[in-house]
Amino acid sequence: MELKVTSLDGKAAGSVTLNDEIFGLEPRADLIQRCVVWQLAKRQRGTHAVKNRADIMRTGKKMYKQKGTGSARHGSARVNLFRGGGRSFGPLVRSHAIDLPKKVRALALKHALSAKAKDGGIIVLDKASMGAAKTKELKVRFAKLGLDNALIIDGAEPEAGFCLAARNIPNIDVLPIQGINVYDILRRTKLVLTKAALDALEARFT
């Protein structure tokens, strides 16, 4: 697959051929879904917790004598029956992460990239850089390119000024090539790859 390369100003800057082993697969929704579930489960904090009866600071003395009162038989006031008592079977602090083989994750990323390529949602930039970190100026350039909802992937170290200018624009994300992932690719309409990002993807998967 051949795509035109554009500059940030919207001018033509040549063309590039995408590797069919990365961008030419027939997308499999099951693989992509497994990877998205893995990502979202992994980022859950799992800090939810409640107090069980062992955590309640109350006396453990029997409330009243066993017989002769005409009331139900009760022991500790820390049980879940009483107001202020411990909760039964409440959530515990735990990890929600699930396992997904590394090869499946890599294959899911290829299928997500192929899905974007098939939908025509990939734009190739020669480089993501600008002279000064001006958000207003960058918004004008994005408008020329038709970018209002996009994930921009640059090389190993994106330009600091470009990241500063882009971070206050809604629905625009900028990530280094190490941070490319299935969920962020799918949640944005356009995927913008620089030449450096394409070279890094080629080196990673071939």
Side-chain angles (χ1 to χ4, degrees):
M1 181 185 296
E2 188 170 333
L3 288 180
K4 293 180 180 178
V5 180
T6 61
S7 67
L8 203 56
D9 296 322
K11 299 177 182 178
S15 63
V16 67
T17 302
L18 301 182
N19 191 337
D20 287 341
E21 293 182 3
I22 304 173
F23 297 94
L25 304 175
E26 186 62 34
R28 280 182 53 185
D30 60 322
L31 282 176
I32 295 173
Q33 187 265 353
R34 284 179 66 187
C35 194
V36 169
V37 169
W38 170 78
Q39 275 188 248
L40 296 182
K42 190 176 179 64
R43 77 179 191 180
Q44 280 186 266
R45 299 190 64 176
T47 53
H48 42 31
V50 294
K51 289 184 177 181
N52 57 35
R53 61 183 294 179
D55 300 319
I56 301 297
M57 298 299 291
R58 278 186 176 179
T59 178
K61 181 183 176 183
K62 189 171 174 64
M63 300 179 68
Y64 43 75
K65 63 180 183 177
Q66 179 84 349
K67 294 181 177 294
T69 64
S71 297
R73 297 169 290 183
H74 288 301
S76 172
R78 294 189 293 234
V79 295
N80 62 336
L81 277 70
F82 300 111
R83 182 183 177 91
R87 182 173 165 187
S88 296
F89 309 114
L92 302 173
V93 176
R94 67 184 180 89
S95 170
H96 291 269
I98 56 177
D99 290 330
L100 191 66
K102 194 172 182 179
K103 289 184 179 180
V104 176
R105 283 181 263 157
L107 190 58
L109 180 56
K110 288 182 183 179
H111 280 267
L113 292 169
S114 297
K116 277 294 178 192
K118 187 177 181 180
D119 295 340
I122 293 182
I123 295 174
V124 181
L125 285 179
D126 57 346
K127 58 181 179 178
S129 63
M130 53 190 304
K134 298 290 185 182
T135 300
K136 185 176 180 180
E137 182 183 336
L138 189 58
K139 286 181 73 173
V140 172
R141 296 187 183 187
F142 282 168
K144 290 180 181 178
L145 294 171
L147 298 179
D148 55 359
N149 190 306
L151 170 65
I152 301 170
I153 304 294
D154 202 358
E157 294 183 4
E159 186 185 78
F162 183 84
C163 294
L164 286 173
R167 72 180 182 180
N168 206 31
I169 303 176
N171 301 321
I172 297 292
D173 298 324
V174 180
L175 292 174
I177 187 62
Q178 304 95 309
I180 190 170
N181 63 87
V182 173
Y183 178 70
D184 282 328
I185 290 173
L186 297 180
R187 69 192 288 262
R188 296 299 178 209
T189 307
K190 296 289 185 180
L191 174 62
V192 181
L193 297 170
T194 63
K195 281 187 174 180
L198 279 176
D199 293 340
L201 281 173
E202 292 270 356
R204 177 175 174 179
F205 289 120
T206 57

